[in-house]
Amino acid sequence: MALQDVCKWQALDTQGPSPHLPEAGGWAVPRGCDPQTFLQIYGPRLAHGTTTLAFRFRHGVIAAADTRSSCGSYVACPASRKIIPVHQHLLGTTSGTSADCVTWYRVLQRELRLRELREGQLPSVAGTAKLLSAMLSRYRGLDLCVATALCGWDHSGPALFYVYSDGTCLQGDIFSVGSGSPYAYGVLDRSYHYDMTVQEAYTLARCAVTHATHRDAYSGGSVDLFHVRETGWEYVSRSDAYVLYMELQKAPGLEQEQELEAEAAQVHPELATPQDAEEGGELSMEQEEATPEDSRIIAKTEMV
Amino acid sequence: MASRYDRAITVFSPDGHLFQVEYAQEAVKKGSTAVGIRGTNIVVLGVEKKSVAKLQDERTVRKICALDDHVCMAFAGLTADARVVINRARVECQSHKLTVEDPVTVEYITRFIATLKQKYTQSNGRRPFGISALIVGFDDDGIPRLYQTDPSGTYHAWKANAIGRSAKTVREFLEKNYTEDAISNDNEAIKLAIKALLEVVQSGGKNIELAIIRRDQPLKMFSAKEIELQVAEIEKEKEEVEKKKPKKST
């Protein structure tokens, strides 16, 4: 019998995830209460409203979100960032409790970095989603609220996974998360197809978020747009939601759709440059997209 | 003051040896020979089968084991130790698929086995595993790989290697005969493995067990008949080479 078995000494398990966070169930609650019931009755009421969306297509994965952080009817921050880079080929859209999302993304970044050092390569997006959902499901029932879409490019091409804090992990082509998601889904389902061009995809994403911000009280501010390509993620634009919506309203009618398609075929080159997530430095914000060409392209997908 | 305690458990001797690990390597040298060859499109494992007793069922003695669809290993040394290591490796292959959604790479599972072996050289009251393993397979990127682990927990990649009894002889044979031509053709790689084993195995093809993995295909164990065919081909080739020789001397 090994000496360590006799002494009941357990070697540290360095292989598994070690978030150094409180044990699930290790909450300091009064005697006689279990953490779940306690939180249900006395826990803080964390309201969460947002619109985030992500979809994958031939040329990568698009992630878009509004920028309003609300706490009940109070706008805590009109210009928050809801799309978090994890590493050069992975972004996460966050919805739910901002604090939870940010914390868990930092934990995820650490775990991925450790695995990269150990294995010599980053895990696939499927593996990352599995990892995140496994970490979150340990805290199930303890009022964590993280609803996130992992958007990345790995050896299998563009990949998109939805992870929820109860442990749900789903693969899909389109996801929209948040209080504004029904409105975004309406627009997305109308015009999405896998073989879109990059400009069509940008326009579709902006259009979907803009319409959601128009109707949902908890979404608003600006529209952030990110694109994950084979070479990494890039921050495409941040545009004011109201300005975008007004442009959509000015869109010409159906009969001009043919013309616009011909014009839109002469597509502009991409506007942003790839950034390295690991540097974590300031992201340069693009100027607002209020150019006339853009409004025509936006209008193209507006046709009902 | 150097007492004999450092021979019984795995602690350092005054001159820096881990005697238990070295004794484990001796145990490996007593095991039956195993040879592994990494071809361009194929990996081959061959082992010397110990002759079984008359009443023993031959099929229960298997020295080449699949760890997953795309990885397999052969070992030399204590069979019981190998069984434990193989079981742990098989579980790890599936765990990896569950958590990371991808099959293991050959290097990953080799590293796992090597780490496991190393743990046992650093635990109180445990002895090291008395086996060396040859692990072969194809990764997702289609590159063939061959790794060898030993009881100390180190592992290395090889183009061709042999372990067990007479490993040195077989390795010398491989060093002489492993050429790019020899391995570019699948059949030639298989023949090379058999030839290498025939150097040290008594009574020919009956005592050889052979397995191959081709790219994107599962493990294939050769039946006794198939091995006999290969051996017959090798003997024919040898005869032809022999026939040509006397003509040249005249």
Side-chain angles (χ1 to χ4, degrees):
Chain A
M1 191 166 27
L3 191 61
Q4 60 211 49
D5 290 336
V6 173
C7 301
K8 297 205 193 334
W9 174 77
Q10 194 65 263
L12 281 170
D13 178 21
T14 47
Q15 292 287 92
S18 52
H20 295 306
L21 289 166
E23 279 300 311
W27 295 86
V29 294
R31 252 193 230 232
C33 290
D34 73 293
Q36 274 159 260
T37 343
F38 182 78
L39 279 171
Q40 250 169 2
I41 306 169
Y42 302 105
R45 292 277 154 264
L46 305 160
H48 23 264
T50 187
T51 307
T52 66
L53 62 89
F55 56 86
R56 64 175 213 121
F57 70 121
R58 179 173 299 285
H59 302 289
V61 188
I62 299 288
D66 74 311
T67 59
R68 177 177 294 175
S69 269
S70 52
C71 192
S73 56
Y74 165 66
V75 176
C77 176
S80 56
R81 213 185 292 149
K82 300 191 187 179
I83 300 181
I84 303 180
V86 182
H87 57 77
Q88 200 181 13
H89 285 84
L90 185 63
L91 295 173
T93 68
T94 60
S95 169
T97 321
S98 317
D100 288 341
C101 290
V102 170
T103 311
W104 282 101
Y105 265 88
R106 293 189 66 191
V107 173
L108 184 65
Q109 273 168 349
R110 183 189 66 191
E111 290 302 318
L112 290 181
R113 178 66 180 140
L114 282 174
R115 270 149 214 261
E116 185 185 9
L117 287 169
R118 219 178 270 146
E119 308 298 329
Q121 65 184 30
L122 285 160
S124 60
V125 183
T128 309
K130 217 28 172 319
L131 178 63
L132 182 61
S133 82
M135 289 199 292
L136 289 173
S137 64
R138 282 172 57 200
Y139 295 80
R140 199 178 155 155
L142 294 173
D143 232 15
L144 264 192
C145 188
V146 175
T148 171
L150 285 163
C151 321
W153 189 296
D154 60 23
H155 58 84
S156 65
L160 177 58
F161 282 82
Y162 168 70
V163 175
Y164 187 59
S165 45
D166 66 357
T168 307
C169 176
L170 300 169
Q171 184 177 26
D173 285 338
I174 311 175
F175 284 111
S176 178
V177 190
S179 51
S181 61
Y183 311 106
Y185 270 127
V187 177
L188 283 170
D189 289 336
R190 175 85 181 90
S191 313
Y192 169 82
H193 56 102
Y194 188 78
D195 296 303
M196 288 187 285
T197 66
V198 174
Q199 279 305 120
E200 284 175 331
Y202 289 172
T203 313
L204 176 60
R206 284 194 198 110
C207 189
V209 179
T210 308
H211 278 276
T213 60
H214 181 67
R215 283 289 170 186
D216 179 34
Y218 297 109
S219 308
S222 314
V223 177
D224 271 342
L225 182 61
F226 283 73
H227 181 189
V228 185
R229 303 165 180 271
E230 198 168 357
T231 49
W233 63 262
E234 62 181 82
Y235 186 14
V236 177
S237 65
R238 168 173 280 205
S239 339
D240 185 272
Y242 181 70
V243 170
L244 269 180
Y245 187 74
M246 286 297 115
E247 268 154 29
L248 289 171
Q249 294 307 90
K250 280 192 229 144
L254 256 165
E255 57 275 19
Q256 295 186 358
E257 190 180 341
Q258 302 274 322
E259 277 179 55
L260 293 172
E261 275 195 32
E263 279 179 297
Q266 304 150 27
V267 154
H268 322 290
E270 307 320 330
L271 296 155
T273 50
Q275 310 257 359
D276 185 12
E278 247 84 290
E279 286 171 281
E282 293 298 295
L283 295 166
S284 62
M285 294 223 297
E286 292 292 294
Q287 288 305 324
E288 286 190 6
E289 310 260 271
T291 56
E293 295 97 341
D294 209 44
S295 57
R296 265 182 270 139
I297 293 165
I298 290 171
K300 181 182 167 303
T301 49
E302 228 312 72
M303 300 307 127
V304 172
Chain B
M1 280 290 278
S3 48
R4 298 294 186 98
Y5 67 93
D6 48 14
R7 293 174 184 268
I9 52 175
T10 316
V11 291
F12 281 111
S13 68
D15 56 348
H17 290 263
L18 286 171
F19 281 117
Q20 279 299 300
V21 173
E22 291 179 10
Y23 298 162
Q25 278 158 349
E26 290 299 314
V28 169
K29 286 192 200 146
K30 288 205 175 15
S32 45
T33 319
V35 74
I37 294 187
R38 185 184 86 194
T40 325
N41 301 308
I42 189 175
V43 286
V44 188
L45 276 179
V47 293
E48 172 197 358
K49 255 195 316 205
K50 270 214 188 89
S51 44
V52 294
K54 236 172 149 187
L55 293 171
Q56 193 173 40
D57 191 339
E58 212 182 40
R59 289 168 300 169
T60 57
V61 182
R62 280 259 167 269
K63 288 198 58 175
I64 303 179
C65 309
L67 298 180
D68 201 349
D69 296 326
H70 61 298
V71 191
C72 77
M73 73 172 250
F75 62 91
L78 302 171
T79 315
D81 286 5
R83 200 177 58 230
V84 171
V85 169
I86 289 171
N87 277 338
R88 296 279 281 271
R90 282 175 175 161
V91 171
E92 179 62 20
C93 285
Q94 300 312 312
S95 286
H96 186 274
K97 243 192 234 173
L98 178 62
T99 46
V100 182
E101 298 274 327
D102 271 333
V104 293
T105 59
V106 185
E107 200 261 340
Y108 177 93
I109 196 64
T110 308
R111 192 162 13 107
F112 172 81
I113 292 174
T115 314
L116 178 65
K117 286 185 179 176
Q118 192 278 339
K119 268 198 210 131
Y120 278 64
T121 69
Q122 222 179 357
S123 296
N124 262 330
R126 290 197 177 129
R127 61 163 179 82
F129 287 105
I131 62 161
S132 278
L134 287 173
I135 300 154
V136 295
F138 280 87
D139 284 339
D140 263 342
D141 52 13
I143 301 182
R145 304 208 192 260
L146 164 64
Y147 287 92
Q148 186 231 342
T149 65
D150 66 9
S152 65
T154 57
Y155 68 97
H156 300 279
W158 289 77
K159 293 182 191 161
N161 198 5
I163 50 176
R165 187 170 29 218
S166 330
K168 203 151 164 279
T169 323
V170 179
R171 208 175 300 129
E172 280 166 6
F173 175 86
L174 288 171
E175 278 174 16
K176 263 189 241 142
N177 292 288
Y178 182 93
T179 59
E180 288 308 310
D181 291 328
I183 55 144
S184 55
N185 181 331
D186 287 359
N187 238 356
E188 291 302 310
I190 296 171
K191 280 213 205 98
L192 181 62
I194 298 180
K195 273 190 237 175
L197 274 175
L198 285 173
E199 294 277 310
V200 295
V201 157
Q202 302 126 335
S203 56
K206 275 195 282 127
N207 281 2
I208 294 179
E209 201 179 302
L210 198 76
I212 60 164
I213 303 185
R214 287 183 218 266
R215 186 176 291 119
D216 294 330
Q217 288 181 26
L219 169 70
K220 175 173 169 14
M221 297 285 305
F222 272 40
S223 67
K225 257 193 233 145
E226 288 169 316
I227 298 178
E228 280 302 322
L229 275 167
Q230 294 281 352
V231 171
E233 260 186 62
I234 292 172
E235 312 234 297
K236 221 172 53 172
E237 278 172 18
K238 240 198 244 172
E239 277 175 25
E240 281 169 16
V241 171
E242 290 290 324
K243 270 192 215 154
K244 286 183 190 155
K245 275 193 194 155
K247 288 180 186 170
K248 279 186 185 169
S249 60
T250 50

